[in-house]
């Protein structure tokens, strides 16, 4: 149940981005749901490999290269999903940061741990 709610929260965060950035478009809630699912899968399966492969650069940049990885993955997913479009790399960079902040805020508000586990 928690996984489903997290997915819906991420889709809502993605659906909110066009209201904050004109360079991001999400045509409908279906596109947001699919994009949130693909983003979750990419962040679970691809991101750890990229982080490991780019560890020296990440170390030298004091971790800031992780923001570049997030932006590239966000931009890549926007190229895969119809109905979800990001204007370019820098738009993806800012959108990925906003997406993370919105997802975190909604998760904090809606997924409160009640101490049972």
């Amino acid at each position: 149940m928690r996984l489903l709610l997290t997915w819906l929260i991420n889709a809502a965060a993605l659906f909110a981005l066009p209201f904050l950035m004109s360079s991001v478009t999400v045509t409908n809630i279906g596109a947001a749901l699919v994009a949130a699912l693909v983003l979750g899968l990419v962040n679970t399966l691809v991101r750890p490999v990229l982080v490991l492969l780019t560890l020296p650069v990440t170390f030298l940049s004091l971790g800031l290269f992780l923001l570049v990885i997030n932006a590239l993955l966000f931009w890549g997913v926007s190229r895969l999903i119809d109905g979800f479009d990001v204007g370019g790399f820098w738009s993806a960079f800012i959108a990925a940061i906003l997406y993370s902040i919105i997802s975190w805020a909604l998760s904090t508000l809606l997924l409160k741990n009640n101490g049972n586990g």
Side-chain angles (χ1 to χ4, degrees), residues 3 30 34 47 51 58 60 64 67 88 96 100 104:
L3 185 63
V34 171
R47 187 176 185 270
V51 168
T58 302
L60 289 175
L64 293 176
L67 295 173
S100 297
W104 169 79

Side-chain angles (χ1 to χ4, degrees), residues 16 23 27-28 32 75 87-88 95 104-105 108:
S23 58
T27 56
N28 55 38
W75 193 24
W104 169 79
T108 300

Side-chain angles (χ1 to χ4, degrees), residues 2-113:
R2 188 174 175 96
L3 185 63
L4 179 65
L5 190 55
T6 301
W7 175 46
L8 293 173
I9 286 170
N10 289 339
L14 200 59
F15 200 65
L17 279 178
F19 296 102
L20 301 173
M21 295 182 65
S22 62
S23 58
V24 177
T25 56
V26 179
T27 56
N28 55 38
I29 193 69
L33 288 168
V34 171
L37 179 66
V38 173
L39 272 171
L41 290 172
V42 166
N43 282 330
T44 301
L45 302 173
V46 177
R47 187 176 185 270
V49 174
L50 288 177
V51 168
L52 188 63
L53 290 174
T54 61
L55 201 54
V57 176
T58 302
F59 181 73
L60 289 175
S61 69
L62 303 175
L64 293 176
F65 193 71
L66 292 174
L67 295 173
V68 173
I69 291 173
N70 286 343
L72 288 172
L73 293 175
F74 197 84
W75 193 24
V77 168
S78 77
R79 297 291 172 226
L80 293 174
I81 306 300
D82 289 333
F84 171 50
D85 188 45
V86 178
F89 172 77
W90 290 110
S91 294
F93 187 86
I94 296 167
I97 292 170
L98 288 174
Y99 174 70
S100 297
I101 292 169
I102 295 167
S103 295
W104 169 79
L106 289 174
S107 294
T108 300
L109 291 172
L110 299 174
L111 297 177
K112 294 186 181 192
N113 189 359

